[in-house]
Amino acid sequence: MADKSYQAVMGRRPEIMRKAVGIDYDSFESGSLAFDYETMMSKAAFSLDKIREIQRATGIGNTPLLEMKNLTALARHYAAPGKGARIFVKDEACNPSGSFKARRASVSAYYAKTKGYPGLVSATSGNYGAGIASQAAMLGLKAIVVQEVFDSRGLGQPEILEKGRACEAYGAEVLQLTVGPELFYTFLLVLEETGFFNASLYTPFSITGIETLGVEIAEQCQSLLGKKPDVVVATNAGGGNLTGTARGLIKAGCADTKIVAASVDLSGLHMASDKDFNRKSFTTGHTGFGVPFTTSPDRADVPRNAARPLRYMDRYVTITQGEVFFMTEALAQVEGLERGPAGNTSLAAAFSIAQEMDQDQIVVVQETEYTGAGKHPSPQLTFASANGIEVRRGDPKDNIPGQRIVIPENPGQIKAVELPLEKLRQSYLKHNLASVKDGKVSAADMEYLAAEINLPPAEAEAMIQAALKEGK
Ligand SMILES: Cc1ncc(COP(=O)(O)O)c(C=O)c1O
């Protein structure tokens, strides 16, 4: 019998992973910093047409693009004359499991089924588990979701509990854990013991599954409005949502569309900390995931992360928890759409960004998610208050992550805050150049890094040289 100690299981990680994802990652490696990202994306997954066919078969996609006429009017009320772009929302809550994560799960489920895996395993605290469970149910596969739920007092946030409930409702077995390194250990052990497929969030299957979302936005804007969107705002955490959507937009010819990442500002809180775990009132779409995954994407559960958001973003903005809670209620009460928390992060950002744009421009909020039970603002805010967080009305500038949630007094106070891309690029280089020993970067690595930080070659090289000097 295999040794199940923590060290032994972690030591078997490469072989467990190899069996469980069916991708030979080594074949895309160059032996240095660079790897062949585009070849990995095209060879390891399926063509766009095939993915559309896979998704059509399980009722995924073709979600409506809805104009937010009343929110647009409200944004114009606070904007300078002539400003206030038209705001549209891609209603991803209409997917089978209630979020865009159904797209992300669909290709893995299809692949696992065709390759004869008996089931799927995913390590997630969120909507992705529901996507996996729902897809598994449709294809007659088993699903196991390993979920980080509780702090060491045994307390779990209402939003996380609701997401776990959804996974169970779709027939998955849910393993509920406390915060800490046991999540990855348990995940590996489950993969090894079951022989199920690793439906990682970060494989080419997952990310190409999201490309259809970008393609649909482009097609729907073209047919409804006769043009491509000027700006698309995507809620950013692990980076797959933004990466897949941006790649889809590019494939559909949206070369000039600006991609904006939006995350809830949770600066100062530590994601792996037992104490901080329940001091945040958003479980995804926040900077606690968004910043580390943007600046160091290969921290994922597979050797190379197919989600590489820094390659695609034109801007990264943050928004406070109180502003998102406000926008969740505004969407319900002004537009008559009750939707879940994460998508409203980009809606709050879009509401602010629309005010910088001209009235004939188009801003698309790239997704919504379903809402229900613990996902609503009231249980989350009640839980926050019970855990010592101050909740009050006021100026969102007074918000302090983990200490105070300030719900704006009026929508004019909602303001997206810029997270400078230059800082993120420098941080990316700091993480990724750490293994460079002699201070020399080959021409191929230079080209790879320029694509990774999304800068023209000369600008990228200057920044890389400066980072190398600093790292000495
Ligand atoms: C509804 C919703 N929106 C956005 C995100 C962020 O996606 P990503 O982690 O790929 O950046 C998530 C991920 O948890 C989500 O569930």
Side-chain angles (χ1 to χ4, degrees):
M1 214 173 84
D3 182 348
K4 289 188 188 172
S5 68
Y6 182 85
Q7 266 75 17
V9 172
M10 288 309 212
R12 293 199 295 278
R13 173 185 173 163
E15 54 204 88
I16 296 174
M17 281 298 180
R18 207 170 306 120
K19 270 199 204 133
V21 286
I23 294 173
D24 177 13
Y25 281 92
D26 287 345
S27 66
F28 309 113
E29 289 297 336
S30 67
S32 58
L33 287 176
F35 82 105
D36 194 345
Y37 177 52
E38 285 306 332
T39 304
M40 179 181 90
M41 295 304 275
S42 58
K43 283 241 173 90
F46 300 97
S47 70
L48 191 57
D49 284 345
K50 179 69 186 170
I51 292 171
R52 290 189 113 172
E53 183 192 312
I54 292 168
Q55 295 183 342
R56 217 174 297 121
T58 49
I60 292 169
N62 285 319
T63 53
L65 183 71
L66 306 173
E67 181 160 15
M68 302 291 105
K69 291 201 174 115
N70 296 334
L71 284 178
T72 300
L74 197 59
R76 286 180 182 172
H77 176 75
Y78 291 101
K83 297 285 176 189
R86 291 168 72 183
I87 303 170
F88 288 77
V89 161
K90 179 79 169 144
D91 198 8
E92 287 290 288
C94 297
N95 282 307
S97 60
S99 77
F100 84 97
K101 293 278 169 83
R103 297 181 193 262
R104 199 165 184 167
S106 62
V107 186
S108 288
Y110 172 86
Y111 181 83
K113 177 80 181 176
T114 52
K115 293 288 173 189
Y117 285 89
L120 306 164
V121 189
S122 85
T124 162
S125 62
N127 292 314
Y128 186 60
I132 284 295
S134 155
Q135 286 299 291
M138 286 194 201
L139 299 184
L141 295 168
K142 296 199 168 99
I144 299 176
V145 175
V146 187
Q147 199 196 21
E148 201 171 54
V149 182
F150 305 113
D151 63 15
S152 57
R153 299 169 300 169
L155 283 182
Q157 292 201 24
E159 187 187 336
I160 293 191
L161 295 175
E162 159 53 26
K163 286 170 167 173
R165 181 211 63 77
C167 296
E168 284 182 343
Y170 290 117
E173 182 178 342
V174 181
L175 305 182
Q176 297 189 313
L177 305 181
T178 48
V179 183
E182 62 267 36
L183 181 86
F184 196 55
Y185 163 80
T186 306
F187 177 60
L188 287 174
L189 203 56
V190 169
L191 285 174
E192 189 173 46
E193 286 181 347
T194 60
F196 284 10
F197 184 74
N198 172 11
S200 159
L201 281 157
Y202 303 109
T203 58
F205 301 118
S206 289
I207 305 307
T208 54
I210 306 164
E211 288 178 5
T212 53
L213 176 46
V215 172
E216 285 176 26
I217 290 173
E219 288 174 352
Q220 286 170 311
C221 283
Q222 195 64 50
S223 77
L224 278 175
L225 309 160
K227 58 178 185 169
K228 302 281 194 298
D230 296 286
V231 171
V232 172
V233 189
T235 300
N236 191 48
N241 190 33
L242 186 140
T243 302
T245 303
R247 290 177 60 85
L249 286 164
I250 294 164
K251 285 187 178 174
C254 294
D256 298 326
T257 301
K258 297 281 174 244
I259 312 284
V260 181
S263 296
V264 175
D265 177 15
L266 288 188
S267 47
L269 295 182
H270 291 281
M271 293 311 119
S273 146
D274 178 53
K275 190 173 112 307
D276 288 349
F277 185 63
N278 279 327
R279 300 193 75 79
K280 52 186 168 46
S281 297
F282 283 78
T283 65
T284 187
H286 55 69
T287 53
F289 294 138
V291 171
F293 272 93
T294 299
T295 56
S296 189
D298 293 319
R299 56 176 54 236
D301 59 356
V302 284
R304 286 295 193 175
N305 191 346
R308 309 190 84 81
L310 195 52
R311 286 182 173 240
Y312 300 101
M313 63 177 75
D314 295 295
R315 275 173 86 175
Y316 195 159
V317 298
T318 64
I319 204 89
T320 63
Q321 299 193 99
E323 289 170 308
V324 185
F325 281 120
F326 186 101
M327 198 41 82
T328 300
E329 292 214 345
L331 179 65
Q333 293 177 19
V334 175
E335 293 289 354
L337 283 177
E338 198 185 17
R339 296 291 182 268
N344 300 330
T345 299
S346 33
L347 181 61
F351 183 77
S352 167
I353 289 167
Q355 295 170 49
E356 303 163 5
M357 298 167 62
D358 294 338
Q359 292 197 351
D360 61 354
Q361 291 189 296
I362 310 287
V363 55
V364 176
V365 175
Q366 161 268 16
E367 48 102 14
T368 62
E369 65 174 299
Y370 87 97
T371 190
K375 281 191 176 191
H376 291 290
S378 66
Q380 279 292 89
L381 288 170
T382 304
F383 182 85
S385 294
N387 280 279
I389 311 280
E390 183 192 356
V391 179
R392 64 166 167 84
R393 299 299 289 266
D395 187 334
K397 288 200 190 87
D398 296 332
N399 206 85
I400 306 174
Q403 290 178 41
R404 187 191 299 141
I405 294 173
V406 183
I407 314 283
E409 275 156 340
N410 70 71
Q413 293 171 316
I414 296 175
K415 292 273 177 276
V417 173
E418 217 64 37
L419 206 66
L421 283 191
E422 190 178 339
K423 286 232 166 72
L424 295 168
R425 290 181 171 123
Q426 283 165 344
S427 167
Y428 174 95
L429 291 174
K430 196 170 154 207
H431 285 110
N432 291 279
L433 291 172
S435 60
V436 172
K437 296 271 176 305
D438 54 3
K440 286 199 189 76
V441 174
S442 71
D445 282 349
M446 249 335 153
E447 197 183 322
Y448 166 79
L449 290 171
E452 285 280 280
I453 60 174
N454 191 16
L455 279 181
E459 270 177 66
E461 180 156 0
M463 193 177 257
I464 292 162
Q465 296 300 358
L468 284 170
K469 228 187 232 163
E470 188 135 308
K472 263 189 195 163

